[in-house]
């Protein structure tokens, strides 16, 4: 009598691996390219990949102004894509980056092609100062970035020591995912007692 058993990863789910083609399109604006190390995380209906580096195997310059770069990454299949997080580590002599869009295709299933419009800076010294963006996907190649504005009101208690000088962040969660971490800041002296 022979006994056999199939063992799955912790959590009881077996994930198939696949290859994704990730295309980044750098905007054609002055200083739009980056020397920083760039990373992507894919979010799908079946899960999330690890943070994956986007590196060019043939050592040519990547993320240059007005250029597209193509990367092949191997990762677990996360199912239909919902969003990507694209970020860099702010290193190099010119780390700021103007990202026009990202296109991701599951190579084993080319009908699964998603477009992630950005048209924003990932730079500490440009735009809103963020170096990471969460981009919502669309199957429409002409999609534009959907922006929503929210008014966030905070109330600090009137007890001694209730205020803070620390940086305060918020993440909004909704049906299409989350906003990513956003710093709460304006021209006022925020988060003071009372």
């Amino acid at each position: 009598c022979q006994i056999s058993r199939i063992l799955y990863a912790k959590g009881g789910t077996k994930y198939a691996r696949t290859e994704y083609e990730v295309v980044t399109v750098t905007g054609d604006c002055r200083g739009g390219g980056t020397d920083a190390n760039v990373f992507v995380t894919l979010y799908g209906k079946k899960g999330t990949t690890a943070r994956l580096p986007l590196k060019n195997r043939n050592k040519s310059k990547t993320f240059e102004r007005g250029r597209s770069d193509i990367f092949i990454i191997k990762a677990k299949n996360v199912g239909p894509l919902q969003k990507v997080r694209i970020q860099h580590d702010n290193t190099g002599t010119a780390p700021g980056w103007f990202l026009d869009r990202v296109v991701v295709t599951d190579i084993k299933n080319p009908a699964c092609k998603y477009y992630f419009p950005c048209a924003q800076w990932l730079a500490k010294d440009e735009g809103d100062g963020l170096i990471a963006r969460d981009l919502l996907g669309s199957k429409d190649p002409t999609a534009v970035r959907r922006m929503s504005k929210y008014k966030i009101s905070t109330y600090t208690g009137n007890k001694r020591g209730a205020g803070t000088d620390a940086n305060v962040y918020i993440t909004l969660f909704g049906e299409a995912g989350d906003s990513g971490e956003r710093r709460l800041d304006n021209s006022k002296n925020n988060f003071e007692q009372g």
Side-chain angles (χ1 to χ4, degrees), residues 104-146:
V104 181
T105 306
D106 183 340
I107 293 174
K108 293 182 180 177
N109 187 3
C112 290
K113 185 175 210 166
Y114 296 89
Y115 302 86
F116 299 89
C118 182
Q120 287 188 293
W121 284 97
L122 282 78
K124 294 268 187 183
D125 58 353
E126 296 279 354
D128 58 10
L130 297 177
I131 59 171
R133 300 267 176 216
D134 286 352
L135 307 174
L136 297 178
S138 170
K139 288 201 163 212
D140 178 6
T142 62
V144 294
R145 183 171 165 84
R146 296 174 289 193

Side-chain angles (χ1 to χ4, degrees), residues 51-140:
R51 185 177 87 153
L52 304 165
L54 296 180
K55 293 188 177 185
N56 197 330
R57 290 187 180 145
N58 60 16
K59 305 286 188 204
S60 67
K61 293 279 274 174
T62 52
F63 313 114
E64 295 294 312
R65 173 184 173 177
R67 282 192 33 199
S68 297
D69 294 292
I70 301 171
F71 306 91
I72 305 298
I73 57 174
K74 293 179 182 179
K76 73 178 182 181
N77 185 341
V78 297
L81 293 177
Q82 297 173 316
K83 75 174 183 176
V84 298
R85 176 170 294 143
I86 189 104
Q87 63 194 96
H88 66 73
D89 61 3
N90 206 44
T91 59
T93 56
W97 184 30
F98 191 86
L99 177 63
D100 186 59
R101 66 187 170 278
V102 177
V103 181
V104 181
T105 306
D106 183 340
I107 293 174
K108 293 182 180 177
N109 187 3
C112 290
K113 185 175 210 166
Y114 296 89
Y115 302 86
F116 299 89
C118 182
Q120 287 188 293
W121 284 97
L122 282 78
K124 294 268 187 183
D125 58 353
E126 296 279 354
D128 58 10
L130 297 177
I131 59 171
R133 300 267 176 216
D134 286 352
L135 307 174
L136 297 178
S138 170
K139 288 201 163 212
D140 178 6

Side-chain angles (χ1 to χ4, degrees), residues 7-15:
L7 300 175
Y8 296 105
K10 190 174 183 180
T13 307
K14 181 181 176 184
Y15 291 104

